[in-house]
Amino acid sequence: MSELPKQANVVVVGGGVIGCSIAYHLAKLGFSDVILLERQQLTSGTTWHAAGLVGQLRSSINMTKLAKYTRELYRGLEDETGQATGYRQSGSISIATNNERFEELKRNASMAKVFDLEVNVIDVDEIVERYPLIHSADLLGGIHIPTDGYANAVDISQALAKGARANGAQIFQNTKVTKILHDTRKVTGVSTPAGDVTADVVVLCGGMWTRDLAASIGVNVPLHACEHYYALFESVEGLDPNLPVLRDYDACTYYKYDAGKLMVGAFEPAAKPWGMDGIAEDFCFDEIAGDFDHFEPVLADAMERIPALQNAGLQKFFCGPESFTPDVRYHLGQAPELDNCYVSAGLNSIGLQSAGGIGKVMSEWIRDGRPPVDLWEVDVRRNMPFQGNRKYLRERVSESLGLLYATHWPYRQYATARGARKSALHDRLAAAGACHGEAFGWERPNWYAPAGVEPTYAYSYGRQNWFEYSAAEHKAVRENVGLFDQSSFAKFRLEGRDSMRILNRVCANDIDQRPGRLVYTQWLNERGGIEADLTVTRLSETAFLIVTAAETEVRDFYWLQKHIPDDANCVLTNVTSAMGTISVMGPRSRELLQSLTPADLSDEAFPFATSQEIELGYAIVRASRITFVGELGWELYVPTEFMLGVYDEIVAAGRSFGLVHAGYHALNSLRIEKAYRHWSHDITDEDTPLEAGLGFTLRFDKAGGFIGREALLEQQQQGVTRQLLQFRLTDPEPLLYHNEPIWRDGELVGHVTSGAYGHSLGGCVGLGYVQRRDGEDIADMVSGAYEIEVAGHRAAAEASLRPMYDPGNERIRC
């Protein structure tokens, strides 16, 4: 083995399939001095025992693109490197034993059209034809993906490593990274028993070891290992090497041909966390003893599904560790806490089928300093600090593993590790009938059950049990007045004599306004993509309050922090926990609040998009006249210790005004009728304000400009090629969620980015980007016969550039 270099451009820590793929792709991009360091041997840890499935259909366009790229890479890897990979394009079948699962599969097949992936809905006869071993009496149908397959994880990793070496990367085994070196602002290298290596970039790909390694330098990577089981059966009568991979989601199992044997694996609903007390130093190609009693019910179901297993021999019962994350999405990207420290870990047992695409986007991210496409759903910046807590992780991952094969119900809520973050009003709202959901650790009221009704979910792809209750909340806000607890808003305070100058450069809108003005704005990247969507309130000449979404608390805080120069007189503080937020919205909101405060709430004294401190109860609260529901209303920012008192005052007075408690499901249906965009669905770092219909927020002529200005000016000159439209289904029955294909005159032109039922508009409403025809005026994009496909059926839809509800904004400015 060659001597370990003293310096490198990039150090990749971890020699599993992810680390090998990143090293391979970095070397392919022409990076010099790429070094991969593996604590023991390549593929030791978890890669070596991977089942080897290579599936492609994911829940979003970009995730599916990465999976498709992985398949294409693996197809040609053996020819490129001369290293066998065991890749086989066998196809896959997923089966349904109940109507709800079949609905999910059919929706997935429709969604796949958006992704340009062939997914065919098949009947029971075709399932039996393609998989003769199956017991089919209870089946309703399924889907077939002809280009899915499987490969040998060890061979794929070795091929990637060989390709990396061929392009100049160096790989060192039995070389443990004992410390990540940094100067408190950025990583500077690594320490090993063979010496230190200085580096410009360090990538943490250590699998289940990543959490602790990252935590040693203050980087948060929430993941935890779980026991993962499979069994190998030999002498299976009728076993054919050409059988597709079979997934029986309702029984939590998958079946794969494996060198003359049949592998049966599972993602059971209640998994067993592993390694709570740490992982042994010498853990390498190790198995876990496992719990046969835990896996036995899975085997019993498998023998029912594949009767030939009843007479086959159980050659091997296997249990090994896999790392899982709190939301069953992996962790990618640059750590917000430390510059030039990148993470790629927490693959939730789908590392092999993700590795090719991950290597591609990670190498491009490192090259460009930004993600090449919208990767927010797997971005490490989504993680909240508390999620690194070991107790939280142990409890949550026991559920995470099973969610891979569980029915992906709309609005499904986590059952484990609940109650992590609670508003000061939590118990009051529970007493009022709140059914709390969990979002980013927060317990948030999603809907309210009337007296005598249990506030729990009954999941369905149709109208769920809360549908009518939420509709009543929606209508109350439209016609009267409603109260929302939005304490989960992320809230930052920026102050100092340089704060306005710095913030105005980051904001696309002009926030150089008089104190008391509230500005809706976006933060953009250099390409003009939307990095954040938020409001800024000027508190004084030198102080600002920034309010953004709960899910982007970490991302947005660090985005702004990284744009504050070292020598600036400016301090950024996260004050989320210091203030709760009560929103009072609806036509009678002014009457209600005016009865509680001596402040003048008239339109003349308190116009829209302004903010004042007012007396309410015993408190001084910041009242901001703004809305996310499209009605007259105020957001009240209340010091946490005053929240209960202020709430009680509002509720007591509200009885005379017909005040109704409203939850986040109503908030969503209200906002989508008004075509208000939701960041991470309708607007992302790939979408510009011009495409999203938010050009009114741009101030091209303000002093100092703003990040992304030049890119937008160019796009404005050339014209956008796509535009976000609002849609309403003319049939009131179908339900939209997201990713449904949009058809125009029989041509696939886009997909729904978010959808909800519009109770005031009488049908489901969705937002979605539509490709603009050559030479077409934007105003003409609403013409033509629009349809939105739901589970294989196309429903007629109306399209609009303007909000279908109150397009003139008369209701919010009264």
Side-chain angles (χ1 to χ4, degrees):
M1 179 183 294
S2 59
E3 183 178 349
L4 185 68
K6 299 298 183 185
Q7 63 182 32
N9 188 194
V10 183
V11 170
V12 178
V13 181
V17 67
I18 300 299
C20 289
S21 180
I22 292 173
Y24 168 89
H25 284 88
L26 285 169
K28 281 279 192 176
L29 283 181
F31 274 77
S32 59
D33 301 326
V34 174
I35 294 176
L36 185 152
L37 302 178
E38 163 55 41
R39 60 187 290 273
Q40 293 205 9
Q41 297 178 47
L42 294 183
T43 76
S44 64
T46 58
T47 295
W48 71 274
H49 61 72
L53 307 184
V54 183
Q56 299 166 88
L57 186 58
R58 299 286 190 272
S59 61
S60 70
I61 290 177
N62 285 334
M63 291 300 103
T64 301
K65 284 181 179 178
L66 299 193
K68 288 174 64 180
Y69 170 81
T70 297
R71 177 188 69 87
E72 293 159 4
L73 173 68
Y74 292 174
R75 287 182 65 189
L77 198 56
E78 185 169 337
D79 288 341
E80 176 190 341
T81 65
Q83 166 71 47
T85 61
Y87 176 78
R88 185 181 184 91
Q89 184 173 304
S90 61
S92 73
I93 293 175
S94 299
I95 58 176
T97 61
N98 59 70
N99 288 323
E100 293 284 4
R101 177 68 76 177
F102 201 22
E103 171 82 2
E104 178 182 6
L105 294 180
K106 288 187 286 187
R107 282 178 174 266
N108 287 345
S110 290
M111 181 176 65
K113 296 174 184 176
V114 176
F115 306 160
D116 192 28
L117 176 66
E118 183 182 355
V119 178
N120 302 306
V121 178
I122 58 177
D123 59 20
V124 177
D125 288 343
E126 185 170 351
I127 292 171
V128 173
E129 180 183 349
R130 292 183 178 277
Y131 209 99
L133 297 180
I134 198 169
H135 169 70
S136 63
D138 59 338
L139 299 187
L140 300 180
I143 58 173
H144 175 237
I145 306 178
T147 54
D148 277 355
Y150 55 85
N152 184 294
V154 172
D155 289 345
I156 288 285
S157 301
Q158 293 291 352
L160 290 167
K162 187 173 181 179
R165 291 189 185 99
N167 286 280
Q170 297 183 73
I171 296 176
F172 295 86
Q173 301 183 76
N174 300 305
T175 308
K176 180 181 179 181
V177 172
T178 56
K179 187 177 182 180
I180 307 295
L181 304 175
H182 63 92
D183 62 6
T184 74
R185 294 290 302 273
K186 65 180 186 300
V187 294
T188 58
V190 299
S191 289
T192 78
D196 292 352
V197 181
T198 62
D200 300 321
V201 171
V202 174
V203 190
L204 305 182
C205 310
M208 58 188 173
W209 287 274
T210 304
R211 179 207 171 276
D212 289 346
L213 184 59
S216 71
I217 53 173
V219 170
N220 183 34
V221 185
L223 54 81
H224 198 295
C226 283
E227 296 180 358
H228 182 52
Y229 294 85
Y230 61 72
L232 282 172
F233 285 87
E234 59 184 356
S235 304
V236 179
E237 186 177 353
L239 185 63
D240 185 336
N242 296 313
L243 284 175
V245 171
L246 177 67
R247 294 181 177 90
D248 184 357
Y249 292 120
D250 296 322
C252 315
T253 51
Y254 61 84
Y255 303 84
K256 186 201 81 167
Y257 178 84
D258 192 290
K261 305 174 184 62
L262 187 66
M263 175 184 286
V264 181
F267 293 98
E268 66 277 19
K272 301 186 72 173
W274 180 82
M276 288 80 74
D277 301 320
I279 303 170
E281 183 66 26
D282 60 351
F283 192 90
C284 188
F285 294 99
D286 294 71
E287 299 182 26
I288 302 172
D291 180 352
F292 190 80
D293 290 341
H294 178 78
F295 193 58
E296 190 172 21
V298 173
L299 292 180
D301 288 342
M303 290 178 183
E304 292 292 326
R305 179 61 62 211
I306 309 293
L309 295 180
Q310 297 173 18
N311 298 312
L314 179 58
Q315 191 219 32
K316 186 170 184 60
F317 166 67
F318 179 85
C319 180
E322 299 272 1
S323 65
F324 288 83
T325 65
D327 55 7
V328 210
R329 294 181 278 158
Y330 28 80
H331 299 314
L332 299 184
Q334 179 164 308
E337 302 91 343
L338 207 58
D339 285 348
N340 297 344
C341 178
Y342 286 79
V343 174
S344 186
L347 274 298
N348 301 292
S349 199
I350 55 172
L352 179 70
Q353 56 190 301
S354 307
I358 287 176
K360 180 179 187 296
V361 297
M362 285 295 293
S363 61
E364 293 170 355
W365 199 331
I366 292 167
R367 179 192 64 191
D368 301 331
R370 54 175 168 76
V373 293
D374 171 33
L375 294 170
W376 169 242
E377 63 190 289
V378 292
D379 194 319
V380 72
R381 292 175 292 174
R382 76 186 184 278
N383 296 308
M384 302 297 164
F386 83 92
Q387 291 181 303
N389 177 286
R390 288 178 173 84
K391 181 179 186 329
Y392 169 84
L393 285 170
R394 283 197 300 272
E395 293 182 14
R396 174 53 63 83
V397 298
S398 67
E399 179 182 10
S400 296
L401 181 146
L403 294 180
L404 284 171
Y405 277 19
T407 303
H408 297 89
W409 300 115
Y411 309 105
R412 186 198 180 280
Q413 302 299 317
Y414 291 103
T416 56
R418 294 294 297 267
R421 307 172 83 183
K422 294 181 180 179
S423 156
L425 304 181
H426 178 273
D427 293 350
R428 292 278 207 281
L429 302 181
C435 181
H436 282 94
E438 188 264 3
F440 331 111
W442 284 100
E443 295 291 320
R444 305 199 304 190
N446 281 342
W447 56 278
Y448 287 83
V453 174
E454 188 71 21
T456 57
Y457 279 88
Y459 295 118
S460 167
Y461 271 95
R463 287 159 171 74
Q464 297 187 8
N465 62 320
W466 50 265
F467 184 86
E468 293 300 334
Y469 308 137
S470 186
E473 298 166 22
H474 177 114
K475 292 172 183 175
V477 174
R478 286 278 183 253
E479 300 168 4
N480 195 39
V481 61
L483 180 150
F484 298 87
D485 177 17
Q486 294 184 272
S487 296
S488 62
F489 275 153
K491 300 168 280 281
F492 314 140
R493 187 179 174 99
L494 183 73
E495 51 193 322
R497 63 173 179 264
D498 295 327
S499 57
M500 193 285 292
R501 174 178 58 83
I502 291 167
L503 190 55
N504 215 21
R505 172 65 182 165
V506 174
C507 294
N509 210 333
D510 188 1
I511 56 93
D512 188 9
Q513 307 288 334
R514 62 174 174 79
R517 280 298 309 274
L518 184 152
V519 177
Y520 170 56
T521 188
Q522 288 78 44
W523 294 348
L524 310 178
N525 54 42
E526 296 289 351
R527 297 170 292 174
I530 301 171
E531 293 285 344
D533 182 69
L534 42 77
T535 63
V536 175
T537 302
R538 191 164 196 171
L539 306 177
S540 70
E541 291 299 319
T542 59
F544 295 84
L545 175 66
I546 299 154
V547 179
T548 188
E551 70 176 311
T552 56
E553 179 180 340
V554 171
R555 176 196 179 104
D556 294 350
F557 184 86
Y558 281 103
W559 179 267
L560 182 53
Q561 187 179 68
K562 289 180 186 300
H563 287 88
I564 299 175
D566 291 342
D567 60 351
N569 184 286
C570 193
V571 176
L572 178 65
T573 307
N574 188 334
V575 295
T576 300
S577 297
M579 291 184 288
T581 306
I582 299 172
S583 293
V584 181
M585 298 284 160
R588 301 195 72 189
S589 58
R590 178 181 285 121
E591 294 177 71
L592 170 54
L593 292 175
Q594 189 66 81
S595 73
L596 294 170
T597 180
D600 185 352
L601 302 184
S602 67
D603 189 53
E604 295 76 17
F606 207 139
F608 182 73
T610 63
S611 180
Q612 300 177 25
E613 286 191 335
I614 66 172
E615 297 177 27
L616 205 164
Y618 295 131
I620 304 295
V621 309
R622 174 159 294 281
S624 296
R625 190 175 161 194
I626 193 70
T627 180
F628 197 54
V629 301
E631 301 292 342
L632 172 70
W634 279 262
E635 293 173 355
L636 306 176
Y637 295 90
V638 187
T640 302
E641 67 271 27
F642 288 95
M643 278 284 283
L644 289 175
V646 169
Y647 167 83
D648 289 343
E649 293 270 356
I650 295 172
V651 171
R655 295 188 185 100
S656 301
F657 296 89
L659 178 70
V660 168
H661 285 76
Y664 271 80
H665 292 336
L667 185 74
N668 190 41
S669 60
L670 289 159
R671 73 93 188 169
I672 205 161
E673 285 188 330
K674 198 69 175 74
Y676 288 147
R677 283 61 165 153
H678 179 255
W679 195 90
S680 81
H681 283 99
D682 311 311
I683 48 177
T684 72
D685 59 6
E686 282 192 272
D687 309 310
T688 74
L690 298 176
E691 296 166 336
L694 297 173
F696 65 91
T697 67
L698 303 173
R699 296 296 178 267
F700 288 110
D701 58 350
K702 70 174 177 175
F706 57 87
I707 299 170
R709 176 180 180 273
E710 289 70 26
L712 292 182
L713 286 172
E714 182 178 350
Q715 185 180 56
Q716 191 176 57
Q717 183 178 12
Q718 294 178 352
V720 297
T721 58
R722 62 189 188 122
Q723 190 72 42
L724 189 71
L725 302 181
Q726 186 184 34
F727 298 91
R728 185 184 73 88
L729 299 185
T730 56
D731 181 347
E733 290 306 310
L735 297 181
L736 300 178
Y737 298 114
H738 67 97
N739 284 340
E740 292 89 355
I742 299 171
W743 299 86
R744 182 186 187 190
D745 298 329
E747 178 187 1
L748 182 62
V749 292
H751 68 279
V752 172
T753 52
S754 66
Y757 201 87
H759 300 287
S760 304
L761 295 176
C764 241
V765 181
L767 299 177
Y769 290 92
V770 170
Q771 292 297 315
R772 185 177 172 188
R773 292 169 176 167
D774 290 341
E776 181 180 45
D777 289 336
I778 289 179
D780 293 332
M781 292 184 68
V782 298
S783 65
Y786 275 102
E787 297 172 302
I788 297 178
E789 182 175 332
V790 180
H793 300 285
R794 297 186 192 178
E798 298 172 345
S800 178
L801 280 163
R802 302 183 72 199
M804 294 181 178
Y805 181 83
D806 187 27
N809 291 328
E810 296 174 4
R811 298 180 66 87
I812 67 176
R813 296 182 181 274
C814 60

